[in-house]
Amino acid sequence: MSLGVVALWVVALVALGLCFRHGGGKARRAGQDAGQALAKVLPVLLMALPMAAFVAELIPAGWAERWLGPDSGLAGIGLASLAGGLMPGGPFVAFPLVLGFLKAGAGPSQMVALISGWAILGLHRTLAWELPILGGRFILLRLTASFALPLLAGLLAELLLPLFPGIPLR
Amino acid sequence: MPAGPGGRSLPPRMLRRNATFLVIAALTLSAATAVWQLRGQAAVVHALLATWDLLVVVLPSILAGLLLSAALRQLVPPGALARWMGAESGLRGLLVATAAGMVMPGGPMAAFPVVLVLAQAGADRGALIAFVLAWSLNGFQRILVWELPILGPDFALLRLLCGLVLPLLAGQAARWLPIRWTPADAPGLQGTRPGPTPPEPGPGGGMPR
């Protein structure tokens, strides 16, 4: 178990302890909420995790290296931003896919752009959740204000990358 | 999440949730079939083993993340932050909205209803955009549960540093843009207006105002 997981458990248990201090009812509701959320998340998760693995098997060898490699520069960052926007599903699909791309030789800056494109443009989330809850006008406002930001994130990563010798470049 | 303005129309929500599962199931099965046809049985087994390895790593984080998310929902009333995020709040309002978005736990089914709550409580469009972007880009829960365990601390830190100021930029851009949005434009709010709404006249009684 990594340090991050341990830290997360500590924070979660502290929060649960704070609920207990507000009375047993809050803690019980928190436990029920967590259980219900797990029941909703787990089926989708168990179906989505293999999808990421299968898609990773299907991506031709060298694709990520050729188009999104560390030397692909601004073009690669732009392509990655767009590809991120089209990437389906929640974090359970996206991050395993990014791991697969990194192992296949994609550049870290391009992957920063990909994750940012997925988080900001994310077609799937926009259509499935934002449109029905907040409406088309909100989406227009948000996308106009933010569509160029994945590119900016990728360029920032290009600048900061020399400070991160722990990230391997293939 | 039963809370939130969208909570009244249960059947469409349930349909949508099942639709997500069915769409993902269909995609997974087609991907599995394609792998079987193009790369053979060994590749299918390889993918399933990779899935199992990942599940073992990720499952403890998911359990802790869901517990944390549920406990925070009990402790932090979402409306409590809204008075800091009005149109006159300036850069401070955007910073508060960004921080709120980062600590906002849960998926889109939790975050977008909170946007409505914040909007009704007086947050302006710049703060709302900053909130949504901070949640989707830099939400702590997602970083801790997914990004850190899967991609490692170095990459997760680089990615976070590159995304840290983006919600502020988007919020400021939204304040400059001449695109107005009010909660009344939201389909998720139609038919449900918590707050000081005049009581609806019953059938046959009262005049329409």
Side-chain angles (χ1 to χ4, degrees), chain B residues 1 3 7-8 30 36 38 60 65 79 82 87 95 108 117 119 127 135 151 154 158 163 170 188 192 209:
Chain B
M1 312 311 121
R8 198 168 284 182
S30 349
W36 186 293
L38 295 171
L95 284 168
V117 178
W135 161 76
L151 297 180
D154 283 324
L158 171 69
T192 53
R209 298 177 197 214

Side-chain angles (χ1 to χ4, degrees), chain A residues 11-69:
Chain A
V11 176
L13 290 177
V14 166
L16 192 66
L18 287 175
C19 286
F20 265 113
R21 283 189 51 178
H22 284 77
K26 281 203 169 192
R28 196 168 344 106
R29 272 200 299 280
Q32 277 171 356
D33 271 14
Q36 281 170 3
L38 184 67
K40 271 180 284 185
V41 166
L42 210 53
V44 179
L45 181 73
L46 289 177
M47 204 35 101
L49 280 181
M51 170 161 71
F54 286 132
V55 171
E57 291 284 336
L58 285 176
I59 293 165
W63 182 87
E65 195 171 15
R66 175 148 21 113
W67 296 101
L68 306 175

